[in-house]
Amino acid sequence: GESVGLHLPTLSVQEGDNSIINCAYSNSASDYFIWYKQESGKGPQFIIDIRSNMDKRQGQRVTVLLNKTVKHLSLQIAATQPGDSAVYFCAERKDGGSQGNLIFGKGTKLSVKP
Amino acid sequence: EPEVTQTPSHQVTQMGQEVILRCVPISNHLYFYWYRQILGQKVEFLVSFYNNEISEKSEIFDDQFSVERPDGSNFTLKIRSTKLEDSAMYFCASGRDRNTEAFFGQGTRLTVV
């Protein structure tokens, strides 16, 4: 069935380094993917999204890469800061669903060391 | 910056009781959503709501659940007869339309005792 999962449950990086958070998905027909950041006690916060007709999309300090051949999604954070410490979720849109009808992964906890 | 607001932040209820969780979506958004997140687990989609009716729902969203937009600003999730396993964070979200990203509220922590 459809599922979105994560390679690593935790990631620890040094402040200033780049972070890469990975995600695997199983539905090759998925056409929309999104990354959310969740800080402790808060709701998921939109970071960046990408449609399946693209391989790469850049935002402010963040880049999402989509490799449809191996069904892999990654989030790159440049010059990681302490404020980036959070759990990061990837999600894919359910087939034919609205943009909020999402299947979430388990999350990767990013810790930034000063 | 406009945001989705949810009340209360924490709700404790006895098993078998009805509970209503409240949300005020972003004002110019047309799509509304509820999700839940059981402690330590994934965020799970429950339901989407558009034009005063349910647009999509997951298998989790059974007859125990209902949603309503009672007025022009509020969007509610009702759980009719709560069970212990309903304890979770419940997130409301809204989107401008069907094809734009959903923005989440801070969540309501529901504890069923």
Side-chain angles (χ1 to χ4, degrees), chain B residues 40-101:
Chain B
Q41 299 189 23
K42 302 178 190 181
V43 177
E44 299 172 292
F45 170 81
L46 293 178
V47 65
S48 68
F49 191 86
Y50 170 72
N51 200 26
N52 282 320
E53 59 184 26
I54 290 173
S55 178
E56 304 149 303
K57 60 180 181 178
S58 71
E59 56 274 11
I60 303 169
F61 193 87
D62 60 21
D63 292 343
Q64 173 195 26
F65 294 94
S66 62
V67 289
E68 189 180 25
R69 188 154 163 82
D71 53 45
S73 59
N74 290 285
F75 178 52
T76 62
L77 174 70
K78 182 191 291 186
I79 308 175
R80 258 179 272 284
S81 176
T82 50
K83 305 189 283 280
L84 293 176
E85 54 265 37
D86 294 326
S87 296
M89 282 291 286
Y90 287 82
F91 293 106
C92 174
S94 67
R96 206 169 54 238
D97 56 49
R98 177 183 174 83
N99 294 314
T100 54
E101 68 272 16

Side-chain angles (χ1 to χ4, degrees), chain A residues 3-4 32 34 36 38 41-44 46 49 51 89 93 96-102 104-106, chain B residues 31 33 35 37 41-45 48 56-57 89 91 97-107:
Chain A
S3 68
V4 178
Y32 174 79
I34 190 167
Y36 281 99
Q38 187 177 26
K42 296 187 177 180
F46 170 82
D49 58 2
R51 298 186 189 277
F89 294 95
R93 174 165 60 178
S98 65
Q99 212 113 309
N101 189 346
L102 299 168
F104 282 82
K106 290 184 181 177
Chain B
Y31 264 80
Y33 306 92
Y35 306 80
Q37 185 179 28
Q41 299 189 23
K42 302 178 190 181
V43 177
E44 299 172 292
F45 170 81
S48 68
E56 304 149 303
K57 60 180 181 178
M89 282 291 286
F91 293 106
D97 56 49
R98 177 183 174 83
N99 294 314
T100 54
E101 68 272 16
F103 292 89
F104 283 70
Q106 301 279 57

